[in-house]
Amino acid sequence: FLRSALDKLNTVYRENRPNVYAGVDFERLRDDIAAGKDIALPQLHDLFEEFKDHAEKAGAQVHVARDAHAANTIIAGIAADNQVHHIIKAKSMTAEETFLNNHLEKKGYKVTETDLGEWIIQLRGEGPSHMVMPAIHLSRYQVGDLFAEVTQQQQDSENIDKLVKVARKELRPAYLEADMGISGANFAIADSGTLGLVTNEGNMRLVTTMPRVHVALVGFDKLLPNLKSALRILKVLPRNATGQAITSYVTWIKGANECLAAPDGKKIMHVVFLDNGRLTLAQDPVFAEALRCIRCGACANVCPIYSKVGGHKYGHVYIGAIGLILTLFYHGAENDRAIVQNCINCQACKAVCPVAIDLPHLVKKTYQAVLKTEGKKPVKNFILAKAMRNRKIFHFLLRQAYLAQKPLARQAPLIRHLPHFFEKKHGFRSLPVIAKHPFRDQWQGLAKPVAAPRYTIAFFAGCAVDFIYPEQGRAFLELLENQSVQVEFPVDQTCCGLPALMAAEEETAQEVARQNINAFASGKHDHIVTLCASCASHLKHNYLKLFALAEDKPAGLKAFTDKIVDFSSFMVDVLKLDGSLFVPRNQKTAYHAPCHLCRGLEIIDAPRLSLIH
């Protein structure tokens, strides 16, 4: 059921998302929000002081919690000071982060979640499996059985409306009995001391208005300079989270408002700002952009791994790609170690992120940080690093793999192969055998001088074309015949380095990058063309990131990355080839759009134009 439900979410979300962004310049809005967040993050101390000044003038009390324990202690203290017995809560990922419910219940308080999904998982003793839809892993029948147990009455699990009414009936008394309401906040507006809350259920307003005490637990990263910044985010948050142009409820709360349940007719209002590593993270030159996150949950919605295993396996508290990153900083390496390697680098999360977080890049950096924190590396990392740093050794191993595979291949075209050579758990993979004669060995017989060429290009084969699919390299050269293109093949080129980066071997990836940049350093090539989308994306974008903070950037780095072009773009956009050059075969062809072509390089049209021709 879990896979069925999440696959449906994944499919429906992808289909509906373009519709809700119709007429909206998503890329420009995304970049504007990201720029605004990046300006605000280094100023969190100042924004907090400004918020605190305005909020306290409006009657609220503002606190700072250094970590999760401090936040829980402050909130429990507020409950004790106000003789609270029953607490109601609106959905808050920040409260999940601190495990607030557990703390308050151990102190003897009755705590009731009022968001429908949160209430369901509270009754089951579970954490959320999605940041926006916490109970998405459960079927209506599981919920019906749960409600039957709670109410001691048989429920009609086929009728979702009736189940919702059961929840409403059970929760209504909690609002009336509660002494304290606890919420999170989507925005904390510095220049007015106002909190902004975005919800789809009316429970949030009941939680924040009916009890005499309201406590808002807010991360420092929710601070924004002004209302304009919040409204800009509001344009993307509901669209990205649930496919709505605007959410059902947008609530703004400033200070201690009127409350008839309070002794003096005024709400007892507290705002607790949680640090828990955020202020340090905001100063980090690499990871700071993770604090741009607006908790839309879209990175989980499109993730192929999440759709197979769900949030309880693909997260600790925070779910999806952002959860793989934040878990390290909020809950430690020991809790991140088991989940951070789940990313397959498809970059779907990066494509839909409404605040332009480079999630795949940060996930790789997070894995590297986890290994550094633990102070140990898997054996395969040492072997991989040793092999890939030396091109001759690496290529020697690939050549020997051709001989080693013979007893296993048994003349069949499929078998396991590098770069998964060192991982037994990948034994289920069926992939092509290593070629007897790699492309580099065939090059001398294929190279042809071209008189007065229009373009001189260098061909980057990568491991796959060089050692597994040399026939693809030959086909590429055939396509270029009569196109006045001089092709060169620098034999000192090696693996692009992506496997090393995925294994968190960044130093190895840097060394491999230097080797490739040197191999293509002649500077006389108009373009460097590759058939592999993963290689192209890595060469063009990740090489720049690998050396972003390095003092000794390799000479010619930018010149090298600027020349990288994928096969389809070169053929369609550079050579301007059209259908008149090809003989129709009247055959149906299935086209697989590579993740790293569509998302890594943002190349959509060129290969499809080729197919049309």
Side-chain angles (χ1 to χ4, degrees):
F1 170 80
L2 173 73
R3 290 189 175 184
S4 175
L6 296 182
D7 277 337
K8 182 177 180 180
L9 168 68
N10 191 301
T11 301
V12 171
Y13 180 83
R14 290 173 185 271
E15 291 175 349
N16 289 346
R17 190 172 179 275
N19 298 329
V20 297
Y21 276 107
V24 177
D25 188 341
F26 171 72
E27 286 76 16
R28 180 175 179 179
L29 188 56
R30 174 197 63 194
D31 294 344
D32 287 347
I33 295 171
K37 278 277 195 176
D38 287 347
I39 292 172
L41 287 174
Q43 304 174 24
L44 290 182
H45 283 286
D46 294 336
L47 292 174
F48 167 74
E49 292 297 336
E50 187 178 4
F51 178 94
K52 183 174 186 291
D53 180 58
H54 288 291
E56 291 185 341
K57 286 179 180 177
Q61 297 181 55
V62 180
H63 311 259
V64 173
R66 181 176 56 85
D67 54 24
H69 177 73
N72 294 343
T73 301
I74 290 170
I75 294 172
I78 294 170
D81 292 342
N82 290 280
Q83 293 80 50
V84 167
H85 300 286
H86 187 180
I87 299 170
I88 53 175
K89 283 180 74 266
K91 181 156 65 72
S92 167
M93 285 306 300
T94 313
E96 296 284 354
E97 177 186 331
T98 69
F99 300 100
L100 178 59
N101 285 11
N102 294 346
H103 183 86
L104 294 175
E105 287 169 351
K106 286 178 181 178
K107 293 291 183 180
Y109 298 104
K110 180 182 178 182
V111 182
T112 304
E113 293 283 358
T114 62
D115 173 89
L116 178 57
E118 287 284 346
W119 185 58
I120 290 170
I121 63 172
Q122 183 187 31
L123 293 175
R124 288 173 57 92
E126 298 175 342
S129 63
H130 191 282
M131 286 196 285
V132 178
M133 298 162 280
I136 194 173
H137 58 291
L138 300 173
S139 71
R140 69 181 70 182
Y141 306 106
Q142 290 173 290
V143 174
D145 292 343
L146 178 67
F147 285 4
E149 182 181 339
V150 170
T151 63
Q152 298 298 304
Q153 295 178 357
Q154 187 64 34
Q155 301 296 330
D156 181 5
S157 296
E158 293 290 346
N159 194 320
I160 294 177
D161 287 340
K162 286 186 177 180
L163 292 178
V164 172
K165 289 179 180 178
V166 170
R168 182 180 295 133
K169 180 181 178 182
E170 293 296 318
L171 288 172
R172 186 67 58 171
Y175 296 112
L176 302 175
E177 297 168 4
D179 310 295
M180 176 190 283
I182 298 176
S183 74
N186 296 90
F187 318 113
I189 311 301
D191 70 356
S192 63
T194 301
L195 296 177
L197 301 91
V198 179
T199 60
N200 266 326
E201 298 177 26
N203 67 303
M204 176 75 82
R205 287 188 174 173
L206 293 172
V207 166
T208 57
T209 56
M210 294 188 71
R212 55 190 169 85
V213 182
H214 173 210
V215 178
L217 178 59
V218 186
F220 267 93
D221 51 310
K222 299 300 177 65
L223 281 162
L224 296 170
N226 48 49
L227 181 62
K228 181 179 179 181
S229 301
L231 294 178
R232 190 162 50 194
I233 293 174
L234 198 55
K235 289 183 179 180
V236 298
L237 178 54
R239 285 181 166 91
N240 237 49
T242 55
Q244 300 166 272
I246 188 68
T247 193
S248 300
Y249 298 90
V250 180
T251 305
W252 305 98
I253 300 173
K254 179 176 180 178
N257 296 301
E258 292 183 6
C259 179
L260 294 179
D264 61 354
K266 280 283 187 180
K267 175 79 67 177
I268 300 169
M269 176 72 181
H270 293 263
V271 183
V272 180
F273 277 90
L274 176 65
D275 179 0
N276 205 29
R278 287 167 170 81
L279 295 178
T280 300
L281 191 58
Q283 305 300 320
D284 190 288
V286 174
F287 288 103
E289 69 178 77
L291 292 181
R292 296 177 191 164
C293 179
I294 58 175
R295 307 293 190 265
C296 68
C299 56
N301 295 349
V302 299
C303 177
I305 304 300
Y306 174 82
S307 69
K308 296 296 179 288
V309 302
H312 290 148
K313 295 293 184 183
Y314 198 56
H316 180 61
V317 170
Y318 289 102
I319 310 301
I322 192 66
L324 304 186
I325 300 160
L326 295 181
T327 296
L328 171 64
F329 297 96
Y330 296 167
H331 297 111
E334 66 279 7
N335 290 308
D336 205 24
R337 184 67 175 81
I339 60 175
V340 71
Q341 284 184 274
N342 286 332
C343 174
I344 60 171
N345 197 39
C346 71
Q347 302 197 33
C349 54
K350 178 182 176 181
V352 300
C353 181
V355 287
I357 303 173
D358 191 344
L359 291 161
H361 175 65
L362 292 189
V363 169
K364 299 183 194 77
K365 299 291 288 188
T366 301
Y367 180 38
Q368 182 184 3
V370 167
L371 293 182
K372 185 177 181 180
T373 300
E374 292 180 341
K376 56 184 179 181
K377 290 184 179 181
V379 174
K380 65 183 179 66
N381 280 45
F382 288 102
I383 299 174
L384 184 68
K386 186 72 174 177
M388 291 191 68
R389 287 189 179 212
N390 188 311
R391 180 186 66 80
K392 293 183 178 180
I393 291 177
F394 181 58
H395 288 170
F396 172 79
L397 289 174
L398 287 172
R399 293 177 188 276
Q400 296 309 303
Y402 167 74
L403 298 174
Q405 74 194 359
K406 280 190 172 183
L408 301 175
R410 298 178 181 177
Q411 307 302 315
L414 299 176
I415 194 175
R416 277 175 57 222
H417 74 93
L418 290 171
H420 302 295
F421 182 80
F422 304 111
E423 291 208 48
K424 292 181 181 179
K425 62 185 178 182
H426 287 280
F428 67 92
R429 292 173 180 264
S430 294
L431 295 171
V433 296
I434 303 296
K436 182 177 182 179
H437 300 292
F439 182 82
R440 61 179 53 245
D441 290 355
Q442 302 176 36
W443 172 246
Q444 290 302 322
L446 297 171
K448 296 179 181 179
V450 176
R454 284 194 296 161
Y455 300 101
T456 297
I457 69 168
F459 179 39
F460 184 88
C463 302
V465 172
D466 200 350
F467 285 89
I468 304 168
Y469 306 113
E471 68 275 10
Q472 292 186 5
R474 295 195 302 269
F476 174 55
L477 296 180
E478 290 176 10
L479 285 173
L480 294 182
E481 287 183 2
N482 304 317
Q483 297 303 316
S484 297
V485 177
Q486 179 66 59
V487 183
E488 297 180 356
F489 182 81
V491 293
D492 286 340
Q493 64 179 280
T494 184
C495 172
C496 67
L498 182 58
L501 190 61
M502 290 295 292
E505 288 296 321
E506 186 169 302
E507 291 183 1
T508 299
Q510 287 179 332
E511 176 57 31
V512 169
R514 291 182 189 278
Q515 292 177 27
N516 281 323
I517 293 169
N518 289 335
F520 290 81
S522 67
K524 59 183 179 181
H525 311 118
D526 299 304
H527 302 282
I528 300 172
V529 183
T530 179
L531 308 185
C532 175
S534 296
C535 287
S537 176
H538 181 66
L539 296 170
K540 193 169 190 67
H541 299 303
N542 286 340
Y543 274 24
L544 294 174
K545 294 172 186 173
L546 281 171
F547 297 103
L549 301 178
E551 294 181 359
D552 57 337
K553 291 181 175 62
L557 170 62
K558 188 66 166 57
F560 175 84
T561 59
D562 284 346
K563 290 181 180 180
I564 300 297
V565 62
D566 65 283
F567 163 74
S568 297
S569 298
F570 179 70
M571 302 298 281
V572 173
D573 299 332
V574 179
L575 296 186
K576 308 294 183 183
L577 298 186
D578 59 39
S580 63
L581 299 172
F582 301 97
V583 178
R585 294 179 182 269
N586 297 318
Q587 293 178 333
K588 289 185 177 181
T589 301
Y591 168 60
H592 169 72
C595 298
H596 293 164
L597 186 68
C598 300
R599 302 180 190 123
L601 295 171
E602 298 183 348
I603 303 298
I604 306 295
D605 295 333
R608 287 166 171 80
L609 289 171
S610 300
L611 288 173
I612 292 171
H613 294 328

